[in-house]
């Protein structure tokens, strides 16, 4: 809750606002506890009936105030958890549930049971009958939580849906009696598909509570706004969302928009030509690299060099922005994107590696030709460039919910961003048991080589005494390098590259076994608790591990964001267990090299410290944290800046999608009202008579949707190009954002005029052809991923009824 340096001073005067807030929750928790004995006496049938009773009450509550039935609802969820999972919500979990219900962020440490906490506000808000969305970071967790928590909701009489990339499911209550078969040694669940019944996307959304990833919710929204039939829609309304790992989704992934695209025609030779050209350009001489901004700038000499190789006099005047753009993109691909760090080349394709989690992201592609430039660089098949049909950022998607809440182990360092961007307040929930983990000061080495050797030695020593170790790395490449060193040292270990979330989850959960060594990219297996001893039933092994100091976490370098480091630390010391954490850093790490303090470098050089000998100093740790804080501020400004631009598009997107839905869902009278805004009423009546009532509305509805889509796709492309060009106006002392807003508004008005003019023209042509039939949506839309696909031949008559060939009319 504290957003600036002045807060610590104010806290001394007025007290800790977080503590004051938690104090207000205690009477509510006491009220829930008082109801426990009464609710315990209810049979399973009576619990279900109680849900019906509360459901009948909730719509009658003024302005949807669920607070009045909260104590009773929470007491029921606690009782259902006791009966099914043999778990009872702690008081601090009840506090977390109240915070989520109030539309805030609950910061709860790893191992405090966030998955169980979400059941409380999810049940309460589902009583309104408008659907609750619970957002997870991967498909495995959404399946696991649907099966695991589905038992609680089923006992209470609610249905649960699950969205996955390949399919949708409903929790199947017919199997709930077999719960013992799916409870495994992790204290969680192995997700067996027999507990999930395949269903349509729509059915998954119509469930009282729906689990799914942020990508699935976002893409479904975009797909719904590209459909031509109401029965193809899947999402219901955006009522209430609980976002798990909210910092990962709303901050780390905020810069990556969700894009639905269709292939466009662009020669692969084009990318190969620029890739070869970029390889011949020299850093510093032909271009400069800004690693902080992750940008390149061509020098005058570089531009001349490129022009000479292309055999042209002036790339700007002769070839225009397209050639310049492709040249810069090819140089960026070469200078800034590193194989096995930013991407991997596998099965003749380029797969992006998530920079924050180290996870592979198959199916995700960089936009604006960057992905093709990297394909050309690596010599794999160059996929066709795509044309954007629809896009949205997670920031704008999640701001559509009437109520938004989230939970994570690390939110406080980003509290200001959550407050300013999403109007979300962050509350720190105390741990159920006191935290006794030891967070040792960082060990700082001069070189990467010396640091990695010291890490391997440390792991070997810990392994020999039997203390379990989890090593967090920042890339697949560094995982493999460390693994090779450990093999040389004879240390048996497991390596996780976040390729298989289900398998990763099971391995991560076993990381607490005696002598276990696990090397993982940061946050592999996120969302899965590590239990000391590996088996909750084996108390003897758990005690042995505790006696050795618990799980030892080793961070191989500091991340740009303190949250990522804290997430790694948080894997140890759950529920009052002992544990240890320590980061090993070198002056050659990206963070230290680009942002590190010169004072640290000079100090180590003067002392003449060998490369494999560290210095351990609290002041160094403070200097590193100061650098991280600076970078976080810089990244926040970048995201805020991007959001300001995206807000312009978001405003326009809302207008277009609202109009589209009005046409799609509206009855004939509604459609007629829309048409009257474009065409004079007597011109309309005549057409209705010519074409026939039913055919008129069927045809005009489809034509209007198609025209809107056609111009909107063009508009998205032009706005994208315009955004790139307005940045140059800063040289003329003009604010690029203001220019983008003004130009964007002008272009949007132009597009609206074009939509009106074309609609009028198309309907006029339709009226000239009395036998004109309603168009088949399949002629225009290929429903697989909603990508536009023209199936009509170039020399065939145009579908609009003009009598011209398609190539001379709408194919022109």
């Amino acid at each position: 809750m504290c957003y600036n340096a002045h807060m610590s001073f104010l806290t001394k005067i007025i007290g800790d606002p977080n503590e004051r807030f938690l104090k207000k929750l205690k009477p509510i928790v006491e009220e829930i506890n008082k109801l426990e004995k009464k609710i315990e006496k209810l049979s399973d049938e009576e619990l279900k009936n109680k849900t019906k009773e509360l459901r009948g009450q909730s719509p009658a509550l003024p302005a949807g105030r669920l607070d009045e039935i909260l104590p009773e609802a929470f007491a029921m969820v606690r009782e259902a958890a006791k009966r099914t999972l043999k778990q009872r919500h702690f008081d601090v979990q009840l506090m977390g549930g109240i915070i989520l219900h109030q539309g805030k962020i609950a910061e709860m440490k790893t191992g405090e049971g966030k998955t169980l906490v979400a059941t409380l506000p999810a049940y309460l808000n589902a009583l309104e009958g408008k659907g609750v969305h619970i957002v997870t970071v991967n498909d495995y967790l959404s399946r696991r939580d649907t099966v695991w928590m589905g038992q609680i909701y089923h006992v209470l009489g609610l249905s649960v849906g699950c969205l996955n990339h390949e399919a949708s499911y409903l929790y199947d209550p017919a199997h709930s009696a077999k719960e013992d078969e799916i409870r495994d040694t992790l204290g969680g669940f192995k997700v067996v598909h027999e507990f999930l019944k395949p269903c349509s996307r729509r059915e998954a959304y119509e469930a009282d509570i729906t689990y799914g990833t942020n990508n699935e919710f976002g893409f479904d929204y975009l797909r719904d706004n590209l459909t031509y039939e109401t029965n193809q829609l899947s999402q219901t309304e955006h009522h209430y969302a609980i976002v798990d790992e909210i910092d990962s989704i709303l901050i780390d992934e905020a810069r990556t928009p969700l894009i639905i695209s269709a292939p466009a025609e662009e020669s692969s030779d084009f990318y190969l030509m620029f890739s070869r050209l970029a390889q011949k350009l020299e850093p510093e001489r032909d271009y400069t690299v800004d690693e902080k901004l992750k940008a390149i700038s061509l020098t005058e000499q570089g531009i001349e060099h490129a022009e000479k190789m292309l055999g042209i006099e002036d790339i700007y005047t002769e070839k225009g922005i397209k050639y310049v753009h492709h040249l810069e993109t090819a140089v960026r691909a070469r200078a800034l994107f590193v194989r096995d760090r930013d991407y991997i080349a596998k099965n003749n394709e380029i797969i992006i590696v998530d920079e924050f989690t180290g996870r592979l992201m198959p199916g995700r592609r960089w936009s604006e030709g960057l992905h093709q430039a990297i394909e050309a660089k690596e010599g794999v098949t160059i996929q066709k460039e795509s044309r954007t049909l629809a896009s949205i950022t997670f920031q704008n998607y999640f701001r559509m919910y009437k109520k938004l809440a989230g939970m994570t182990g690390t939110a406080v360092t980003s509290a200001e961003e959550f407050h300013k961007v999403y109007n979300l307040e962050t509350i720190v929930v105390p741990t159920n048991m006191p935290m006794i983990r030891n967070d040792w000061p960082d060990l700082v080495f001069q070189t990467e080589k010396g640091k990695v050797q010291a890490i391997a030695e440390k792991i070997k020593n810990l392994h020999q005494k039997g203390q379990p170790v989890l090593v967090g790395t920042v890339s697949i490449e560094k995982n493999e390098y460390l693994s090779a060193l450990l093999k040389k040292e004879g240390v048996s270990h497991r390596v996780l590259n976040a390729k298989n979330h289900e398998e990763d989850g099971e391995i991560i959960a076993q990381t607490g076994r005696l002598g276990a060594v696990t090397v993982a990219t940061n946050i592999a297996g996120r969302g899965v608790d590590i239990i000391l001893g590996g088996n909750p039933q084996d108390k003897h092994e758990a005690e042995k591990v505790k006696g050795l100091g618990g799980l030892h976490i080793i961070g191989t370098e500091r991340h740009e964001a303190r949250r990522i480091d804290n997430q790694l630390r948080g894997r140890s010391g759950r529920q009052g267990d002992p544990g240890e954490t320590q980061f090993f850093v070198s002056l050659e790490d990206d963070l230290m090299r680009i942002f590190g303090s010169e004072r640290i470098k000079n100090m180590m050089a003067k002392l003449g410290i060998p490369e494999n000998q560290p210095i351990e100093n609290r002041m160094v740790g403070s200097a590193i944290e100061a650098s991280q804080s600076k970078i976080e501020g810089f990244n926040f400004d970048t995201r805020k800046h991007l959001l300001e631009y995206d807000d312009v598009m978001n405003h326009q997107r809302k207008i277009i999608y609202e109009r589209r839905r009005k046409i799609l869902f509206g009855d004939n009278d509604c459609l007629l009202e829309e048409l009257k805004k474009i065409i004079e009423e007597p011109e309309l009546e005549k057409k209705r008579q010519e074409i026939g009532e039913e055919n008129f509305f069927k045809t005009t509805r489809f034509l209007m949707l198609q025209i809107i889509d056609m111009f909107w796709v063009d508009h998205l492309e032009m706005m994208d190009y315009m955004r790139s060009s307005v940045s140059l106006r800063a040289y003329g002392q003009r604010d690029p954002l203001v220019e983008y807003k003004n130009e964007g508004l002008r272009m949007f008005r132009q597009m609206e005029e074009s939509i009106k003019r074309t609609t009028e023209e198309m309907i006029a042509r339709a009226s000239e052809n009395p036998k004109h039939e309603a168009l088949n949506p399949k002629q225009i839309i290929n429903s697989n991923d909603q990508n536009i696909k023209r199936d009509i031949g170039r020399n065939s008559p145009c579908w609009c009824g003009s009598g011209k060939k398609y190539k001379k009319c709408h194919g022109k």
Side-chain angles (χ1 to χ4, degrees), residues 139-150 160-164 167-176 182 190-199 211 502:
D139 279 352
Y140 161 64
L141 290 177
S142 58
R143 289 197 307 275
R144 184 201 72 175
D145 294 352
T146 300
V147 174
W148 191 5
M149 300 298 124
V160 193
C162 174
L163 307 171
N164 269 194
S168 312
Y169 306 97
L170 287 172
Y171 172 69
D172 190 352
H175 294 286
S176 61
I182 53 172
K190 280 182 179 171
V191 178
V192 182
H193 276 283
E194 67 176 281
F195 296 91
L196 294 168
K197 182 170 67 177
C199 68
Y211 285 87
E502 197 155 347

Side-chain angles (χ1 to χ4, degrees), residues 54-72:
L54 292 177
R55 262 196 153 149
Q57 256 178 276
S58 65
L61 294 169
R65 273 177 53 212
L66 297 173
D67 298 4
E68 294 169 28
I69 57 173
L70 183 149
E72 198 167 12

Side-chain angles (χ1 to χ4, degrees), residues 539-747:
K539 305 293 181 194
H540 179 65
E541 185 167 341
E543 287 308 312
K544 267 190 188 174
V545 174
K546 285 178 185 178
L548 291 166
L551 177 66
H552 192 108
I553 302 280
I554 292 176
T556 57
E557 64 186 86
R558 287 285 203 149
H559 198 277
E560 283 185 5
R562 286 169 293 174
R563 286 179 300 98
I564 309 293
D565 294 342
N566 291 339
Q567 281 158 1
L568 180 61
R569 284 195 200 277
R571 309 311 293 267
S572 177
R574 64 186 288 283
Q575 286 294 328
D577 285 342
E580 297 176 281
T581 72
Q582 190 161 38
F583 280 84
F584 287 60
V585 299
S586 87
L587 299 185
E588 292 177 349
D589 293 350
D590 287 347
L591 180 75
M592 298 294 284
R593 186 171 52 80
I594 304 168
F595 300 97
S597 162
E598 282 300 317
R599 195 175 57 174
I600 301 170
K601 296 175 186 176
N602 295 337
M603 181 175 71
M604 291 191 80
K606 279 177 191 171
L607 293 170
I609 297 168
E611 67 174 19
N612 64 344
Q613 188 182 323
I615 62 164
E616 185 177 334
N617 189 308
R618 293 268 179 198
M619 280 177 67
V620 174
S622 301
I624 292 169
E625 291 217 358
S627 296
Q628 289 176 307
S629 184
K630 252 186 232 169
I631 301 162
E632 284 164 4
F634 171 76
N635 287 339
F636 172 31
D637 289 341
T638 304
R639 286 189 291 267
K640 193 162 165 276
H641 184 64
L642 287 171
L643 184 61
E644 286 169 341
Y645 276 91
D646 194 57
D647 279 344
V648 177
M649 276 307 305
N650 198 48
H651 175 67
Q652 296 179 1
R653 186 190 298 114
K654 279 180 179 173
I655 293 169
I656 290 295
Y657 285 0
E658 199 176 307
R659 186 178 302 157
R660 219 183 169 282
R661 288 199 165 227
K662 205 180 275 184
I663 294 164
L664 190 62
F665 282 102
D667 58 17
N668 290 349
D669 290 339
C670 181
L671 188 63
L672 207 54
E673 284 304 310
E674 287 296 306
L675 283 166
K676 283 176 187 175
K677 294 173 187 175
I678 301 167
I679 305 166
E680 289 179 16
E681 196 170 343
E683 274 243 313
L684 279 179
E685 286 307 313
K686 187 183 172 191
K687 285 170 196 164
R688 283 169 74 179
Q689 288 166 13
E690 280 178 3
I691 300 174
E693 185 84 0
E694 188 185 339
N695 216 21
F696 171 77
F697 284 113
K698 202 173 180 182
T699 302
T700 51
R701 194 183 304 274
F702 182 77
L703 279 175
M704 288 174 83
L705 289 173
Q706 190 191 355
I707 291 162
I708 287 170
D709 288 350
M710 183 174 72
F711 281 103
W712 177 241
V713 168
D714 284 342
H715 180 70
L716 286 175
E717 200 169 74
M718 288 191 288
M719 288 288 283
D720 207 35
Y721 278 123
M722 193 261 289
R723 185 169 167 177
S724 304
S725 66
V726 291
S727 58
L728 299 171
R729 300 187 191 183
Y731 294 113
Q733 306 301 309
R734 288 187 287 177
D735 184 338
L737 180 60
V738 172
E739 293 289 303
Y740 181 74
K741 283 178 179 175
N742 292 340
E743 284 286 305
L745 181 61
R746 183 186 61 77
M747 285 163 63

Side-chain angles (χ1 to χ4, degrees), residues 62 178 184 214 218 258 267 335 344 391 468 485 487 491 546 585 623 654-655 745 758 787 799:
K178 297 182 182 179
D184 64 13
N214 45 321
L258 292 173
S267 165
I344 64 164
S391 75
L485 278 182
K487 278 177 189 165
V491 177
K546 285 178 185 178
V585 299
K654 279 180 179 173
I655 293 169
L745 181 61
T758 308
N787 291 335
W799 47 262

Side-chain angles (χ1 to χ4, degrees), residues 209-279:
I209 293 156
T210 308
Y211 285 87
T213 66
N214 45 321
N215 284 347
E216 296 310 308
F217 284 114
F219 277 128
D220 282 344
Y221 169 72
L222 294 177
R223 280 190 284 262
D224 278 0
N225 284 288
L226 285 169
T227 56
Y228 279 57
E229 302 284 343
T230 52
N231 61 10
Q232 290 177 350
L233 292 168
S234 54
Q235 254 184 20
T236 46
E237 58 187 312
H238 297 94
H239 174 56
Y240 176 47
I242 300 169
V243 184
D244 193 11
E245 309 290 10
I246 193 168
D247 54 328
S248 175
I249 291 169
L250 294 192
I251 292 182
D252 296 341
E253 296 196 48
R255 283 184 287 188
T256 311
L258 292 173
I259 297 171
I260 287 183
S261 55
E265 295 300 322
E266 186 69 275
S267 165
S268 59
D269 293 342
F270 204 67
Y271 294 104
L272 287 168
M273 175 179 78
F274 279 104
S275 182
R276 285 193 287 267
L277 196 155
Q279 284 169 21

Side-chain angles (χ1 to χ4, degrees), residues 104-115:
K104 294 178 170 64
I105 295 171
E107 177 177 292
M108 301 183 76
K109 300 297 176 207
T110 302
E112 291 296 303
K114 291 189 283 290
T115 307

